[in-house]
Amino acid sequence: MIVGVLFTRVELSIPIPVLIGTVIVSWGLYLVLIVQKVGQNSLSSAFLGYFLIFSLGYSLTLLQKERAAASKDENLGDSISYLARVTKHDVEKPNSFENQLEVIATLESMGWKKSHGKVLVYHKSKTPLIPGQVILVANSPDRISSPTFPNEFDYSGFLERKGIHYRQFIGEKFEVFDSSEVNSFTYRLANFREKLLGIIEAKVPNRASQQIAAALLLGQKENLDKDIKNAYAETGTMHILAVSGLHVGIIYAILLFPLKGIRIKSSQKRIYLTTVILLIWVYAILTGFSPSVIRAATMFSLFTVGQMRKRCPSSFNILAFSAMVMITLDPTVIYEVGFQLSYAAVAGILLIQPLIVRFWLPPNRVLEYLWQLTAVSIAAQLTTFPLSVYYFHIFPTYFLIANLFIIPLSFVVMSVGISFLALSWIPLLGAGLGGMVSGLIWVQNWITHTIQLFPGGNMERLTITFSGMLLVWGMLIIWANWEFGNRKKLVYLMICLFFGVDWRSVFFEN
């Protein structure tokens, strides 16, 4: 499916109706083969099945490109002024507030006309913009320029995948035209999330703790100070601040805790587990529906369904299925670093962690817990460090020490934090829980900053090429499958890796 998405970069003039017709005929033929049980194990049926998955990725990407092209008004940059609806809450920046607008109409020389498109705006109004408001903006927005240098970050491409093609500094040169949609159902979730952020700001005393609490509990990372980001990045604990599978796993563990030690009827258990699935997806939506959250929510949902049916589904099948769901919803998600790191980390944990755990048998439960946690961190780092070096050119030396302290502490913070958000309406209890959250996060930040000060804590200016990444991942796959796989094929793969890779370009560009 990923190959199908990537193949759309090749310029082919295939009409969409012809493509859809080919896919429909192929699906019909494949279903006939399955129903008639003809050639189920043959090479032809396997090729047809993989072709269908490839064509699905290819078709979805083309359709998305067409929708993206249709959602952009090429004349928006030449307008005199425009009407637009606010779609998000303000995000505070050093000298302004950032927001996002959905254009409704533009004023041109011939008068007003309907329009469309997204604009990233920066304003200095003392009154915040609220989702649902319609504002009149003077002047036209600017087109986001492409990168000038070859290795420069493609910010325009990053925003284009979000459907944003324009940006504008509007200062105070705008007027609120209509606020009737502010309390509508469309923006109720955004307003509820903002209300929870207000609770954190009101009842968590320390400002740094407020920022971490917003990131941990609600996935709100936009207001994080640069010093905090650097501290967590340089200690290898930045994943704590990005709502991910770890956070969904903590929520899942908290929700399943009442089932431990009690016996209930199977029908009651199914009802409770169904409620758990719904709550996980509510949390996923509330925290912004990031790639790692969708992956984790899908995986835990399928595991829970397996519990209902007393089955143990394959972790790799669930991981692959969750990736296919995400690619179906948004094919361009494969280009996002968060998506790549998230799936590389989970694949590493599933493949490598069991091998690492077997190196040592701890004598007691406390050491066993610490060793399990260490093995998870090592496995995740082994599979994600090529990507980290490729994109960011750094590697945190003390990631093991940092994660041994920060991951258990973040579990405690989230457990107390969820209780705090749920019970914040009770005056004394809400204030007490807010103070506990603030204190726990202060300790977490202190540990992080302390480890950051260790000598040689961050290896910088590292470089690896795409060939180098493939080589590292190939070696890890060989290691993970050596005991139970076909060793002859693995040896062939190893030979192909060593002789097929240009060693001069593994760690340095030509």
Side-chain angles (χ1 to χ4, degrees):
M1 193 171 187
I2 292 175
V3 172
V5 176
L6 295 174
F7 201 72
T8 56
R9 292 191 166 195
V10 180
E11 295 294 335
L12 296 175
S13 56
I14 302 177
I16 293 293
V18 174
L19 181 63
I20 294 175
T22 303
V23 172
I24 292 174
V25 171
S26 301
W27 270 108
L29 179 59
Y30 186 72
L31 291 174
V32 168
L33 291 174
I34 295 298
V35 172
Q36 299 296 326
K37 297 182 179 180
V38 177
Q40 284 187 328
N41 298 319
S42 67
L43 184 62
S44 58
S45 60
F47 175 80
L48 183 59
Y50 282 118
F51 170 75
L52 290 172
I53 300 173
F54 166 86
S55 61
L56 177 63
Y58 186 82
S59 305
L60 289 172
T61 309
L62 286 184
L63 290 172
Q64 187 193 53
K65 284 184 176 181
E66 284 200 350
R67 287 196 301 269
S71 66
K72 179 177 61 176
D73 187 350
E74 296 290 350
N75 298 321
L76 182 59
D78 300 322
S79 60
I80 301 171
S81 60
Y82 60 94
L83 280 173
R85 180 169 279 109
V86 181
T87 59
K88 295 182 180 294
H89 285 277
D90 286 341
V91 176
E92 188 175 358
K93 296 295 180 181
N95 299 311
S96 62
F97 295 94
E98 181 186 272
N99 211 309
Q100 189 173 305
L101 306 179
E102 185 75 43
V103 178
I104 301 172
T106 56
L107 177 62
E108 299 179 358
S109 57
M110 300 297 291
W112 285 95
K113 74 167 189 175
K114 288 184 178 181
S115 183
H116 45 262
K118 294 180 181 179
V119 183
L120 194 66
V121 295
Y122 302 88
H123 71 88
K124 285 193 171 184
S125 173
K126 296 179 181 179
T127 305
L129 295 176
I130 302 172
Q133 288 181 331
V134 175
I135 64 173
L136 176 64
V137 182
N139 302 323
S140 60
D142 300 318
R143 194 68 182 264
I144 302 173
S145 58
S146 300
T148 306
F149 303 103
N151 296 323
E152 185 181 352
F153 174 66
D154 188 3
Y155 185 62
S156 62
F158 171 75
L159 291 178
E160 188 174 344
R161 288 193 288 273
K162 296 174 181 279
I164 302 172
H165 300 89
Y166 297 91
R167 63 179 172 183
Q168 183 180 7
F169 178 78
I170 60 177
E172 296 184 14
K173 296 180 180 179
F174 67 91
E175 179 184 349
V176 177
F177 193 74
D178 181 27
S179 298
S180 60
E181 294 289 322
V182 168
N183 296 317
S184 65
F185 179 78
T186 305
Y187 303 103
R188 193 166 295 172
L189 180 62
N191 293 332
F192 179 66
R193 190 184 185 194
E194 192 69 14
K195 183 179 179 181
L196 293 178
L197 285 172
I199 292 172
I200 291 174
E201 291 175 359
K203 298 192 176 183
V204 175
N206 185 273
R207 175 168 171 76
S209 297
Q210 291 173 8
Q211 296 177 24
I212 300 297
L216 275 173
L217 300 172
L218 301 174
Q220 184 74 26
K221 308 189 299 295
E222 290 83 357
N223 294 325
L224 287 172
D225 289 341
K226 187 177 181 180
D227 291 340
I228 293 177
K229 284 184 179 179
N230 289 339
Y232 280 83
E234 292 176 9
T235 55
T237 54
M238 192 65 184
H239 60 94
I240 296 295
L241 303 184
V243 173
S244 62
L246 171 66
H247 304 76
V248 178
I250 292 172
I251 299 292
Y252 187 72
I254 294 172
L255 292 174
L256 288 188
F257 183 76
L259 290 180
K260 292 186 177 182
I262 61 173
R263 293 183 178 181
I264 58 175
K265 296 179 180 179
S266 58
S267 58
Q268 294 175 330
K269 186 176 181 179
R270 281 195 294 270
I271 293 172
Y272 185 84
L273 291 175
T274 302
T275 306
V276 168
I277 294 174
L278 292 174
L279 290 175
I280 285 175
W281 283 102
V282 168
Y283 177 74
I285 295 171
L286 187 64
T287 53
F289 234 48
S290 67
S292 56
V293 170
I294 297 175
R295 183 260 306 156
T298 303
M299 290 188 68
F300 283 118
S301 298
L302 293 175
F303 275 126
T304 306
V305 171
Q307 282 184 297
M308 293 182 192
R309 303 184 65 184
K310 297 181 179 180
R311 293 184 178 182
C312 186
S314 165
S315 300
F316 294 101
N317 285 345
I318 292 175
L319 183 66
F321 179 76
S322 67
M324 291 182 70
V325 170
M326 291 191 61
I327 295 170
T328 300
L329 295 174
D330 179 14
T332 60
V333 74
I334 67 170
Y335 300 110
E336 295 184 8
V337 180
F339 175 87
Q340 297 169 16
L341 288 172
S342 174
Y343 277 89
V346 176
I349 292 169
L350 293 177
L351 279 171
I352 309 299
Q353 189 262 356
L355 302 177
I356 298 173
V357 166
R358 291 165 53 188
F359 286 156
W360 181 46
L361 183 62
N364 56 62
R365 289 187 177 181
V366 175
L367 288 176
E368 182 182 2
Y369 168 76
L370 293 175
W371 176 234
Q372 291 276 359
L373 192 60
T374 302
V376 168
S377 296
I378 294 174
Q381 286 290 345
L382 281 174
T383 50
T384 57
F385 96 85
L387 280 171
S388 299
V389 172
Y390 184 78
Y391 287 115
F392 310 116
H393 309 292
I394 61 172
F395 184 77
T397 310
Y398 299 111
F399 73 91
L400 272 180
I401 299 173
N403 280 284
L404 281 175
F405 288 100
I406 300 302
I407 290 179
L409 191 54
S410 66
F411 182 91
V412 178
V413 172
M414 285 199 67
S415 300
V416 177
I418 291 169
S419 303
F420 159 65
L421 291 178
L423 303 173
S424 59
W425 56 276
I426 304 175
L428 292 177
L429 184 59
L433 289 171
M436 288 180 63
V437 169
S438 182
L440 288 167
I441 293 177
W442 182 89
V443 173
Q444 180 175 297
N445 288 343
W446 179 82
I447 293 172
T448 304
H449 285 292
T450 301
I451 296 175
Q452 184 190 19
L453 296 175
F454 287 2
N458 209 31
M459 299 172 64
E460 298 180 337
R461 299 182 181 180
L462 300 177
T463 305
I464 191 172
T465 63
F466 189 74
S467 300
M469 284 198 298
L470 294 181
L471 178 63
V472 172
W473 285 330
M475 297 304 297
L476 290 174
I477 290 172
I478 291 170
W479 176 34
N481 290 278
W482 185 256
E483 185 172 346
F484 300 105
N486 187 320
R487 294 191 179 182
K488 185 181 291 186
K489 292 182 179 179
L490 292 174
V491 170
Y492 289 152
L493 175 59
M494 189 183 302
I495 293 171
C496 290
L497 283 173
F498 273 91
F499 289 98
V501 172
D502 183 2
W503 285 91
R504 294 171 300 173
S505 63
V506 169
F507 295 103
F508 302 97
E509 298 286 354
N510 288 330

